[in-house]
Amino acid sequence: MSYNQPPPPPGGTPPPPPGGGYGGPPPGGGHGGPPTGVPRPAELLNRFLARLIDHILIGVVFVPIYIILSAIIYSGFSNSFGEYFIFYTLTAILQAALYLAYFTLLESNRGQTVGKMLMKLRTYGPDGVSNPTVEQAWKRNAYSALGILSIIPFLGWFFLGWAAPLAAVIFIAITLNNDQPNHQGWHDKFAGGTRVLQVG
């Protein structure tokens, strides 16, 4: 037995160094989730905020179109059925085309709309690496064109034109929130498995 060994500290054996002994936390903090900065499935709230930003931007573009068409088509205080039909048909078609073009072109070319850029989200194709194809981006955003139902006289004008898109948004939100841990909504799966990841 060596008499040069220092006595043990008061209180018994010292604890093992952090991360260096059995039972200690693993290197990197041991949070159990992906490291900071690594893309992960985007949460419902962030996706909603990104979509809200995009809708506001599209609205800023569409409102002047709506006002101009209204001024051209409606000739006075008393309007005919034909004028109403032409107005709702044109506005529904233009609005649907604007929404589809915006989301499809930006997601297939950049993987991000303006809203997703601001919220640091990115849309990926089913492979989880590349941008969605034009077809995949169109499919996952097809519901945004349901306002086209406004071309149906009366029922579409006063109900379907807004109720159908709202119902689609609610359904997508429910399926997205219930899909754990990937957070893929019905529209993602309809497009073949596209994914929206938090990249910042």
Side-chain angles (χ1 to χ4, degrees):
M1 180 175 179
S2 171
Y3 292 96
N4 294 326
Q5 231 176 357
T13 308
Y22 296 108
H31 298 292
T36 304
V38 174
R40 61 192 184 281
E43 299 291 337
L44 175 61
L45 177 60
N46 287 345
R47 291 178 68 166
F48 169 79
L49 292 175
R51 183 68 64 155
L52 178 62
I53 293 168
D54 290 325
H55 278 249
I56 291 172
L57 290 175
I58 295 172
V60 169
V61 174
F62 184 72
V63 166
I65 297 174
Y66 186 94
I67 293 172
I68 292 169
L69 283 176
S70 177
I72 292 172
I73 294 172
Y74 293 145
S75 56
F77 293 105
S78 179
N79 301 296
S80 66
F81 172 81
E83 288 173 325
Y84 279 118
F85 180 77
I86 292 171
F87 177 75
Y88 279 105
T89 299
L90 286 178
T91 54
I93 291 172
L94 288 172
Q95 187 178 40
L98 187 59
Y99 274 93
L100 275 181
Y102 175 84
F103 288 106
T104 299
L105 293 177
L106 284 179
E107 287 188 353
S108 61
N109 284 295
R110 302 177 57 92
Q112 292 176 300
T113 60
V114 174
K116 285 186 172 70
M117 291 178 201
L118 293 175
M119 296 304 300
K120 298 182 179 179
L121 307 178
R122 189 179 183 91
T123 305
Y124 290 92
D127 61 3
V129 177
S130 58
N131 294 336
T133 64
V134 171
E135 181 184 358
Q136 290 163 352
W138 180 88
K139 282 185 174 181
R140 73 182 307 277
N141 291 292
Y143 75 94
S144 64
L146 284 174
I148 194 77
L149 295 175
S150 293
I151 66 175
I152 301 173
F154 301 112
L155 184 62
W157 298 349
F158 304 111
F159 179 68
L160 287 178
W162 61 267
L166 178 61
V169 168
I170 292 172
F171 181 65
I172 286 171
I174 292 171
T175 56
L176 191 156
N177 198 54
N178 289 341
D179 185 65
Q180 301 292 340
N182 293 322
H183 295 297
Q184 287 176 298
W186 175 87
H187 63 317
D188 289 311
K189 294 177 181 178
F190 176 66
T194 56
R195 305 182 66 190
V196 177
L197 302 182
Q198 189 83 44
V199 293

